[in-house]
Amino acid sequence: MRDTKVVKFGGTSLADANQFKKVADIIHADKTRRFVVASAPGKRFPEDTKITDMLYSCYDKASKGENFDSEFNAIEERYNVIIKDLSLDLSLDEEFKYIKASFAHSAGRDYAASRGEYLNSIVLARYLGFPFLDTVGLLYFNESGEFDLDRTISTLTPKLATLEYAVIPGFYGSMPNDTIKTFSRGGSDITGSIVARAANAQLYENWNDVSGFLICDPRIVKDPKPITTLTYRELRELSYMGATVFHEDAIFPVRTMGIPINIKNTNHPEDPGTMIVSQTVDSSKYVITGIAGKKGFSAITIEKDMMNSTVGFGRNVLRALEKSNLCFEHMPSGIDTLSVIVNTDSIKGKEKIVLDEITTRTHPDHMEIEDNLALIAVVGRGMRKARGTAAKIFTALAQAKVNIKMIDQGSSELSIIIGVSEEDFEEAMSAIYNIFVQ
Ligand code: ASP
């Protein structure tokens, strides 16, 4: 079988001509980098605007019937500067004309956003001398708007088999009625994973502007150590809790095939980055693999004597949440108390309805709702074998004078979730990092 790597480049890696040159060097350095998935041009400097955001706001104006000439010109200009700086013999004028007319005829927000990757892939394909392969008619969603893996594999795999090299736009595909649909933001990572699966690649390289995952958020801990290896499941836990390097849904297409993902830095290609694998015999250097956390949670705490022996108590509480269409994050319980942790934004405005419903269903002795909670996930495959991990976390937090409001150990012993007050969040993250990572 032919050696194949699928390489996906994020928006900052393709933000201007200089970045395009780095990308081309990376691709040409390895002949097995056959299928290239491209994002739309991202930010060139911190205050810059991503093309995808420019497209959304331009389309919003167009759909209100307002004049959108200056917004559209700014988008054209971004591409034209890249084309000129790369000295390419290419004009996108016909494309721009068609897209502008489609905006005026309400072609849809997803169509609008998808043009960022579409145009950038045309430019990159020309620069590399590779064919451009659009995903329309190759990458499918079903009637309900969910990604349709079977249909996609049955069309994309034979198509890729006819090509030696290709540049493929990330982020979008076709609905059954042939309209365009995008994934959620950052979704080019998912396209890369789908292409890796369809091409049966040995490796999926995901290139962006950081050298992989770090053990903790660098805005909280100075120069945190990198994570060299991460399992798919650890990645899910960390991404869910706020680690944003890679789209959390992008592991699904490659997971069953066990295709490893390597997170790499376009600006420092020599750095090894993070390898994401299905499983590994390597234990990480530390007991924990990573720490991630988020603010913005609320806890509903319900007290009732003899709760523990009341059949269906938990179900009734969850039914009350379900009635208001609410998901819950965690549900730690004591003998006579039970807390349900929910995302604060999701319950805003519905507090009274939810509490009334719980009261009707469970007749609690006391109930309260507490906002401004932060959750921290301490994640590590090494925790299963190590004793005293929770004790170490408690010690670190006690020394930092942080009050623990909740603790929940996942049944897989892969993570421990800690709830603290939002004002203690940064202090708690640093304390946990420092006790495990020296
Ligand atoms: N360009 C899209 C976004 O900004 C998709 C992506 O870059 O992955 O979200």
Side-chain angles (χ1 to χ4, degrees), residues 8 11 39-40 50 52 117 171 184-189:
K8 179 256 164 178
S39 276
K50 289 172 159 201
T52 310
E117 307 0 62
F171 195 35
S184 57
R185 294 301 302 265
S188 298
D189 286 345

Side-chain angles (χ1 to χ4, degrees), residues 118-347:
Y118 171 80
L119 293 168
N120 218 24
S121 298
I122 294 177
V123 178
L124 182 61
R126 178 63 68 92
Y127 186 51
L128 293 172
F130 287 6
F132 164 73
L133 179 66
D134 199 358
T135 49
V136 164
L138 290 174
L139 192 159
Y140 279 102
F141 295 87
N142 65 20
E143 299 287 354
S144 346
E146 289 148 3
F147 169 60
D148 188 338
L149 181 69
D150 293 341
R151 186 166 183 202
T152 299
I153 296 299
S154 65
T155 49
L156 188 55
T157 300
K159 183 72 202 175
L160 293 177
T162 66
L163 294 163
E164 190 149 2
Y165 296 98
V167 176
I168 303 165
F171 195 35
Y172 67 90
S174 301
M175 286 295 283
N177 67 1
D178 286 339
T179 56
I180 282 185
K181 177 168 167 56
T182 62
F183 290 108
S184 57
R185 294 301 302 265
S188 298
D189 286 345
I190 308 177
T191 311
S193 183
I194 293 164
V195 174
R197 161 83 181 254
N200 203 2
Q202 280 80 46
L203 183 65
Y204 168 23
E205 288 179 341
N206 187 286
W207 293 83
N208 56 58
D209 57 357
V210 289
S211 296
F213 280 81
L214 300 170
I215 295 183
C216 193
D217 187 334
R219 288 167 299 188
I220 298 176
V221 168
K222 192 167 177 289
D223 293 332
K225 296 253 183 339
I227 301 178
T228 46
T229 311
L230 198 57
T231 63
Y232 295 148
R233 292 182 60 199
E234 288 175 321
L235 171 95
R236 288 281 298 164
E237 301 266 350
L238 289 172
S239 304
Y240 187 67
M241 268 304 169
T244 53
V245 178
F246 186 67
H247 196 298
E248 65 190 77
D249 293 340
I251 60 152
F252 293 122
V254 291
R255 192 171 59 174
T256 44
M257 310 284 282
I259 301 169
I261 304 158
N262 192 188
I263 309 288
K264 297 274 286 176
N265 189 344
T266 302
N267 304 318
H268 296 281
E270 64 292 348
D271 288 353
T274 301
M275 276 306 256
I276 305 167
V277 294
S278 61
Q279 47 194 345
T280 172
V281 287
D282 289 7
S283 45
S284 50
K285 190 161 167 210
Y286 310 101
V287 170
I288 60 160
T289 305
I291 311 162
K294 269 202 256 186
K295 295 181 179 176
F297 294 96
S298 301
I300 306 169
T301 300
I302 306 146
E303 278 178 37
K304 184 174 164 88
D305 284 347
M306 310 298 288
M307 168 192 295
N308 223 20
S309 50
T310 313
V311 174
F313 192 90
R315 179 171 51 91
N316 280 324
V317 172
L318 294 184
R319 281 199 141 182
L321 292 184
E322 195 183 332
K323 203 164 168 204
S324 287
N325 205 17
L326 284 180
C327 297
F328 73 100
E329 307 288 328
H330 295 279
M331 193 165 65
S333 64
I335 299 180
D336 295 324
T337 63
L338 181 138
S339 298
V340 188
I341 315 282
V342 294
N343 196 307
T344 308
D345 284 342
S346 70
I347 196 169

